[in-house]
Amino acid sequence: MYIVGNKRGFLLAELGQLNLKGELHIKHLERVKSVTDAKEANMFSKHLSLLWLSWERTAESQLQENVEQILEVLQPHIHHLQELRVEGYTGVHFPQWMSSPSLKNLHCVYIKDCQSCLHLPQLGKLPYLKELFISNVSRIIYLDEESYDGGAEGGFTELEHLSLEKLPNLIRISREDRENLFPHLSALVVIECPNLLGLPCLPSLNYICIQGKCNQDLLSSIHKHGGLESLCFYDNKELTCFPDGMLRNLISLKLLMIWSCSEIEVLDEALQHVTSLESLILSDLQNLKLLPASLGNLGFLHKLIISNCPKLTCLPMSIQSLTGLESLGIYSCSELEKRCEKETGEDWPKIAHVQNIEIRNTRLIF
């Protein structure tokens, strides 16, 4: 780590004399006074595998001039770079080098707290990008704005993991709905993106996690992804129910987790469609009152966890038909705990066939 300061021994230009390799984090870039100082750091001569460039949001950063040119001249040697992080950058535009197809070893990009930026770099042009994390870049509307010149091959051809966090104005992942975009994307995390509309068809997607407020159109588009194996919802205080048909085509789904969605009262009959489900986790659902009879249709279910669902007072009779259920955990659900007491509880006959049962008056922490 190199912390930029205003005195000799801490000036960015002094990096120019050093033969650096491996990983480098440069902090407090808001203290750089001129493009010349940044250029003298001679970053293009550094054979770095990881470069992390960060600005702190201070009065100094708001007054910094030529910040776009400063980032432009901080380009490292392109042939060795594997991971790039940019945090707190106050420019409106990113330099072209960040999306150069010549960055053939770059597999991970992390962009955070760049709140003045109107557009992201053209990251779809990076030929071997596998992981992309975008957080708190509040003005962007699209992740990908490229047309790819009408060619058959779209962008992000090798991307496997995409995380989108705190993007209040993001409305679509791609400006164009091209079927060949994101062909290898397997994991998608969406956190606090309330205006993100439906997903395009992502043929390799097997994991989705949606956290915080989200658009109903986003939920309705989940059904397109028949190869999905894990689906998680977390911390949505406004979600009262799931759209009709959201789970209808998810024939490969093995894990469904719904956590801290306090307004959900019932899980409707949609569960009947996810017949391949193996694990169901329900936690911190303060208003959940009922589990559907369709729970009994989940013939492959072997793990059921219910934690901190205080209004859930009984289990459906159909749970008796889950002969493959191996593990049942009930935590901090006072009424349900009483009904499921061994031998004496009213619901005990429904679950007596389950091999491993744990009932505790403590919340389960994941």
Side-chain angles (χ1 to χ4, degrees):
M1 180 187 297
Y2 188 84
I3 300 176
V4 177
N6 296 315
K7 297 179 180 180
R8 187 172 180 180
F10 298 93
L11 301 175
L12 183 61
E14 292 173 84
L15 284 178
Q17 306 167 21
L18 304 178
N19 181 23
L20 298 177
K21 297 180 180 180
E23 301 181 358
L24 176 63
H25 180 188
I26 306 177
K27 292 189 68 174
H28 290 292
L29 281 164
E30 74 279 1
R31 296 172 180 169
V32 177
K33 300 301 183 184
S34 70
V35 177
T36 301
D37 289 345
K39 189 177 293 186
E40 289 179 359
N42 195 20
M43 291 298 295
F44 197 75
S45 70
K46 318 302 183 193
H47 294 260
L48 302 172
S49 59
L50 182 152
L51 177 60
W52 185 352
L53 304 172
S54 62
W55 286 253
E56 297 295 321
R57 189 164 290 274
T58 63
E60 211 170 13
S61 67
Q62 301 305 311
L63 295 173
Q64 188 179 38
E65 298 180 355
N66 301 321
V67 65
E68 293 184 8
Q69 291 91 336
I70 287 172
L71 182 55
E72 176 71 51
V73 300
L74 290 178
Q75 176 184 349
H77 196 281
I78 59 177
H79 295 306
H80 294 84
L81 192 64
Q82 298 176 24
E83 182 172 343
L84 175 65
R85 300 185 175 206
V86 178
E87 185 172 353
Y89 172 64
T90 56
V92 174
H93 303 286
F94 289 97
Q96 290 188 355
W97 67 261
M98 286 182 62
S99 53
S100 170
S102 299
L103 290 164
K104 296 187 181 299
N105 290 307
L106 185 61
H107 62 75
C108 180
V109 172
Y110 181 100
I111 298 175
K112 182 180 180 182
D113 296 338
C114 302
Q115 297 189 35
S116 298
C117 295
L118 296 175
H119 309 280
L120 291 172
Q122 297 173 8
L123 299 171
K125 294 183 176 181
L126 298 173
Y128 297 105
L129 184 66
K130 293 186 180 296
E131 298 178 89
L132 177 58
F133 303 85
I134 308 294
S135 176
N136 200 23
V137 188
S138 58
R139 300 175 71 179
I140 64 166
I141 298 174
Y142 304 100
L143 172 68
D144 178 64
E145 301 192 42
E146 293 303 294
S147 65
Y148 302 100
D149 302 320
E153 188 173 84
F156 298 95
T157 55
E158 298 297 321
L159 193 69
E160 297 175 358
H161 183 109
L162 174 61
S163 180
L164 305 171
E165 179 180 7
K166 296 181 182 178
L167 307 176
N169 290 305
L170 184 72
I171 59 173
R172 295 178 69 180
I173 289 182
S174 174
R175 183 188 288 270
E176 292 187 352
D177 276 338
R178 295 174 62 111
E179 294 184 0
N180 52 352
L181 281 171
F182 309 98
H184 294 111
L185 186 67
S186 60
L188 174 64
V189 177
V190 179
I191 302 173
E192 294 290 348
C193 298
N195 292 305
L196 179 60
L197 302 176
L199 298 173
C201 184
L202 304 169
S204 300
L205 198 63
N206 60 47
Y207 173 86
I208 296 179
C209 178
I210 298 176
Q211 178 177 337
K213 185 179 178 181
C214 65
N215 192 292
Q216 287 285 311
D217 286 349
L218 174 62
L219 300 179
S220 296
S221 67
I222 289 174
H223 76 92
K224 300 177 183 179
H225 303 96
L228 204 61
E229 296 182 359
S230 298
L231 178 59
C232 304
F233 299 97
Y234 174 64
D235 196 25
N236 190 325
K237 302 298 190 291
E238 298 184 5
L239 186 65
T240 59
C241 64
F242 294 111
D244 291 340
M246 184 186 77
L247 303 177
R248 185 173 296 276
N249 298 316
L250 304 186
I251 57 175
S252 300
L253 195 67
K254 292 179 172 57
L255 168 66
L256 176 60
M257 179 174 174
I258 307 172
W259 182 11
S260 194
C261 299
S262 57
E263 295 305 309
I264 288 182
E265 295 185 2
V266 295
L267 295 176
D268 59 22
E269 297 302 311
L271 277 180
Q272 67 184 311
H273 300 298
V274 286
T275 53
S276 61
L277 201 66
E278 297 177 359
S279 298
L280 177 60
I281 301 173
L282 307 172
S283 181
D284 294 333
L285 307 181
Q286 300 292 326
N287 286 299
L288 181 66
K289 299 175 181 177
L290 189 67
L291 294 179
S294 60
L295 184 69
N297 296 337
L298 307 180
F300 291 98
L301 193 71
H302 62 74
K303 181 177 182 179
L304 174 61
I305 293 177
I306 305 170
S307 175
N308 196 30
C309 300
K311 294 185 179 180
L312 188 61
T313 58
C314 67
L315 296 173
M317 190 66 68
S318 62
I319 198 171
Q320 293 181 94
S321 63
L322 296 180
T323 55
L325 189 62
E326 299 172 357
S327 176
L328 172 63
I330 299 174
Y331 308 94
S332 193
C333 303
S334 56
E335 293 299 317
L336 197 56
E337 289 166 19
K338 294 175 186 176
R339 290 185 63 99
C340 292
E341 285 184 5
K342 188 172 183 179
E343 307 295 350
T344 60
E346 292 180 63
D347 279 3
W348 175 253
K350 302 177 185 178
I351 61 173
H353 64 287
V354 181
Q355 183 177 354
N356 298 303
I357 299 175
E358 184 174 47
I359 300 175
R360 288 192 281 123
N361 189 25
T362 55
R363 290 179 61 183
L364 190 63
I365 306 299
F366 293 95

